[in-house]
Amino acid sequence: VRAALEPPCRELATRHPTLAGPIAECSAEASLLAALAGDDAGVRAWSPILAATMTADLPPPLRRRADAFAALAAGDPRAALAGFRAARAALGLTATSPSWLHILAVELALGGAAAARAAADRSALATEVAVARTELAAIRAELPAALAARRAAALAALAD
């Protein structure tokens, strides 16, 4: 997936720098995939692209997600874990929240799990995986099958 995602994401950021929303989501996904793969260089490459799309008018969870990836890129997985958790808390999820917020919660928990793994914090890793599993189970029927399968595979890999 990374091999297919990264070239068009770079192209989008290079050729259409004013499309902050799509660039943010693409670079956040690329950052997440790099973090899940344990690819520190990938996180360092994508984090500045994500950070460049952040503006003061964006919702706090999105800005906190960018800050968390920046902390992970800077080699501070504990700050990254705290950032992913703060971003997830800022979502203010309820049972009636739209599915896209629950999708973001899964992604933030996966980011937190990657940060916990980098920090060698097994307890935090287990917590983040459990949160991601719970959120994913709640919305799995609403997700495109390919996305649900990728997130489930990421969870399985983190749980090993």
Side-chain angles (χ1 to χ4, degrees), residues 47-108:
S47 178
I49 296 169
L50 176 59
T53 67
M54 295 297 106
T55 58
D57 61 327
L58 287 174
L62 299 182
R63 292 193 316 266
R64 288 183 178 135
R65 174 183 65 180
D67 293 343
F69 279 120
L72 197 55
D76 191 348
R78 293 200 182 282
L81 174 60
F84 286 118
R85 286 178 168 174
R88 200 169 62 241
L91 291 176
L93 287 179
T94 67
T96 60
S97 294
S99 61
W100 69 269
L101 281 178
H102 290 276
I103 292 168
L104 182 54
V106 171
E107 294 167 357
L108 293 168

Side-chain angles (χ1 to χ4, degrees), residues 1 8-9 13 18 21-22 30-31 36-37 43-45 58 67 77-78 81 87 98 102-103 112 121 133 135 156 160:
V1 173
C9 194
T18 60
S31 296
L36 291 171
V43 176
R44 284 192 301 276
L58 287 174
D67 293 343
R78 293 200 182 282
L81 174 60
H102 290 276
I103 292 168
D121 185 336
R133 275 197 179 120
E135 290 295 335
D160 288 342

Side-chain angles (χ1 to χ4, degrees), residues 3-14:
L5 172 72
E6 290 182 353
C9 194
R10 279 197 184 90
E11 181 103 358
L12 178 65
T14 301

